[in-house]
Amino acid sequence: MAQILLKSISKKFKDETVIEDLNLEIKDGSFTVLVGPSGCGKSTTLRMVAGLEKQSSGEIWIDDVCVNDTPPGLRDVAMVFQNYALYPTMTVRGNIEFGLKNRGVSKSERGKLVKDISEIVGLAPYLDKKPQSLSGGQRQRVALARAMVKQPKVFILDEPLSNLDAKLRNQMRTELIQLHKRLGTTFVYVTHDQVEAMSMGDEIVVMNMGAIQQADSPMKLYQDPANLFTAQFIGTPAMNIMNMQEVQGLDIRSDRPVGYVGFRPEQGLMNPAQQVEGLELKGEILTRESLGAENIYQIRSQAGVFFVKTFLKPLESADHVNITIPYNELFYFGTDGERLYGAGIHARHLAAGGVLI
Amino acid sequence: MTVWHKLRPYSMVAPAIIIFSLFFIYPIFYMIYLSMFDWNFVSPTKAFVGIQNFVDLLSEPEFRQVLSNTTLYTLLTVTLTTGLSLLLALWLNRGNFFYGIVQGAIFSPHIISLVSISLLWSWLMDPEYGLLNWVIGLFGFAKLQWLSHPSTSLISLVIVAVWKGIGYNTLVFIAGLQSIPADIYEAASLDRSRPWTTFTKLIMPMLSPTIFFLVIINMIGSFQVFETIAIMTQGGPVNSTNTLVYYIYEYGFRFFKIGYASAAGVILLFIVGILTIIYFKLLSNRVHYR
């Protein structure tokens, strides 16, 4: 159990600055997910916590200890690598107990620990096999067992599911969530997949170009994005963003100029039966994706192309539709992409419009 | 049409097969055949002597010394070349500043002809005017006789062979080391593995196919050493650097005892054959560890 503190961390590779002045608190016992597009610095951040990469400046604290000069092995962290990084010449048992041997754990104690762990992750029948004779999922479990057996303060997982097929990935996702609950240890998890981040993390750190865009709980990120990047990164399909100049019929009250307006695809009401106070867009349906319980439409309007998602409704067959987005479901962003929290629809307009839904 | 269809693959491999048969298969069998005769290369009659040549060879103290010279030379050359190359590769693999320079420098002996190398080292090792003795003299040590004394002649040849072989061996080791993924080292460092443990428990086992490859290739090469000996020592002084191939050459082409030389050739074939079999056995067992 440990909390991790990153204090104004920077990382430069030769002349290239990968991370600039990053501050982050990872809470004790949390499942924190670092998410972002490739090259955003999330893996580098993770590797600096593990000690595999040295920060150019700043401090890393694990609990009450500054670990800047602590070698990886002594930081009490365990890591699961994307390619598992199993020792190919050792058996599964050898892989799991290698870390224990290096710590001088006695043979009988090792045997007991390996036995316990291998039962938890379901590896007991494979202990004497070499990793290359195991399937992807089993190798993943060996990597997990190797990390778990050391009973570390912090678990670090670097895209551990990206080499598995879709079904196995879902299964391992659930297993990891359960594992976290069971161990109660701090998990730091890196992924580029926002679905993985949303479904697993209780704290999500969205990163882009070496800077933290937003660190929040999954629902907070979704419902209250701090900027355009987060709004468009989280959610499938992503939030629809329109240039303010192309949107008509919005009378916005704001102390700063509004650059963009956005809404979630599921908030767009298609041909609403009742009168709804909101932004109205007329458009033509370009594509229809029917996923069973939900349908996703791609619609072209004067304000640009956007997506609308409907639930438990028959597939719309008309070519031309009216979309209404309730005013309180609109998000406003400044020209720099920052969220304008103060912005809203002008009061007079609302009064004239009648009931607000 | 159909006949040509069937013959075509054979006609494709025919040139290789013909050359191989003519210059490898036929000479091997001819050598085995000759090893049972007493012949001087020119006489129209060959006298069949059975295994007498082999009996003579094995009871000849000179031949036994040749065998022990060759074995000693091989053991020293292989151990030193492989060991030093591994150390050098581990050092160079850290990707430091010297990498390019040193790699180029140690590889260049590999592409120089052995004849030039032999002449070069003959000068370097000259007891009176050689550079090596001059350097030794600077440090105040007594001059060495190098190639001119039985006690140092063989080791002098080993030095030349190691110098020649180290570049290629290092290159192969570096390739082997670079095929080990970086995250293995990282996982080991997180597992609190000390450098020595990482080396013995992880790197060495993963490098073992490379090590076996180089050891066997070097052994086969060392058993067949000829050029340096022919140019630098002619087997001397007092037979101290006489090795199998040079012995065969002397008996075959200087004393014209072709049957006797062929018998020695058969013994060399036997030794190299065993090494090759070991090599392929080990290769098929050890290389597929992934």
Side-chain angles (χ1 to χ4, degrees), chain A residues 35-61:
Chain A
V35 66
S38 34
C40 72
K42 56 188 191 300
S43 277
T44 309
T45 309
L46 192 78
R47 292 166 58 80
M48 287 191 295
V49 174
L52 300 175
E53 211 84 67
K54 178 105 176 106
Q55 67 271 21
S56 310
S57 67
E59 290 178 358
I60 296 175
W61 290 70

Side-chain angles (χ1 to χ4, degrees), chain A residues 125-340:
Chain A
Y126 308 104
L127 278 179
D128 294 316
K129 295 214 158 130
K130 292 272 179 74
Q132 60 270 30
S133 62
L134 302 180
S135 69
Q138 288 165 337
R139 288 183 201 187
Q140 179 65 75
R141 285 193 181 129
V142 178
L144 271 174
R146 185 173 69 181
M148 279 163 65
V149 81
K150 292 185 280 186
Q151 297 167 333
K153 277 193 204 165
V154 181
F155 267 98
I156 286 181
L157 303 102
D158 188 4
E159 308 217 16
L161 304 184
S162 56
N163 283 357
L164 302 177
D165 62 56
K167 198 178 160 203
L168 201 56
R169 198 180 308 160
N170 283 339
Q171 189 193 333
M172 288 302 291
R173 209 148 76 187
T174 339
E175 282 183 26
L176 279 176
I177 297 170
Q178 286 167 351
L179 190 68
H180 174 247
K181 279 217 179 91
R182 178 174 179 160
L183 298 172
T185 314
T186 314
F187 272 46
V188 190
Y189 189 104
V190 155
T191 180
H192 61 269
D193 181 355
Q194 53 100 6
V195 178
E196 220 168 274
M198 292 289 281
S199 60
M200 298 177 82
D202 47 33
E203 279 283 312
I204 297 181
V205 181
V206 180
M207 292 183 71
N208 188 35
M209 315 231 294
I212 293 176
Q213 301 294 321
Q214 190 172 356
D216 247 322
S217 69
M219 283 328 280
K220 200 86 193 303
L221 274 183
Y222 191 77
Q223 290 166 347
D224 214 0
N227 49 43
L228 265 185
F229 182 83
T230 313
Q232 287 186 292
F233 194 77
I234 303 289
T236 21
M239 182 184 278
N240 296 305
I241 300 294
M242 289 160 173
N243 202 321
M244 201 53 210
Q245 286 152 353
E246 287 162 0
V247 180
Q248 284 155 4
L250 273 184
D251 185 10
I252 300 169
R253 163 183 53 80
S254 171
D255 33 350
R256 282 171 57 207
V258 178
Y260 305 91
V261 59
F263 65 93
R264 292 281 175 200
E266 62 272 24
Q267 300 298 350
L269 304 171
M270 192 174 283
N271 298 331
Q274 297 151 322
Q275 178 72 24
V276 178
E277 276 302 319
L279 173 64
E280 286 184 15
L281 297 167
K282 282 185 171 37
E284 181 193 358
I285 297 179
L286 296 176
T287 61
R288 299 172 175 82
E289 286 176 52
S290 184
L291 305 172
E294 58 190 56
N295 297 317
I296 296 169
Y297 303 92
Q298 191 186 15
I299 296 168
R300 182 166 56 211
S301 76
Q302 279 193 317
V305 175
F306 60 89
F307 289 90
V308 168
K309 189 148 99 176
T310 63
F311 290 99
L312 304 170
K313 283 186 184 148
L315 198 64
E316 179 62 53
S317 56
D319 282 345
H320 293 271
V321 286
N322 286 322
I323 305 295
T324 307
I325 306 107
Y327 285 129
N328 56 347
E329 297 297 348
L330 292 173
F331 297 86
Y332 306 100
F333 301 93
T335 43
D336 57 352
E338 284 303 304
R339 175 88 178 274
L340 299 176

Side-chain angles (χ1 to χ4, degrees), chain B residues 246-262:
Chain B
Y246 190 73
Y247 186 80
I248 294 167
Y249 160 78
E250 275 206 314
Y251 273 87
F253 303 103
R254 290 177 68 179
F255 311 146
F256 297 109
K257 294 177 72 176
I258 201 72
Y260 190 75
S262 295

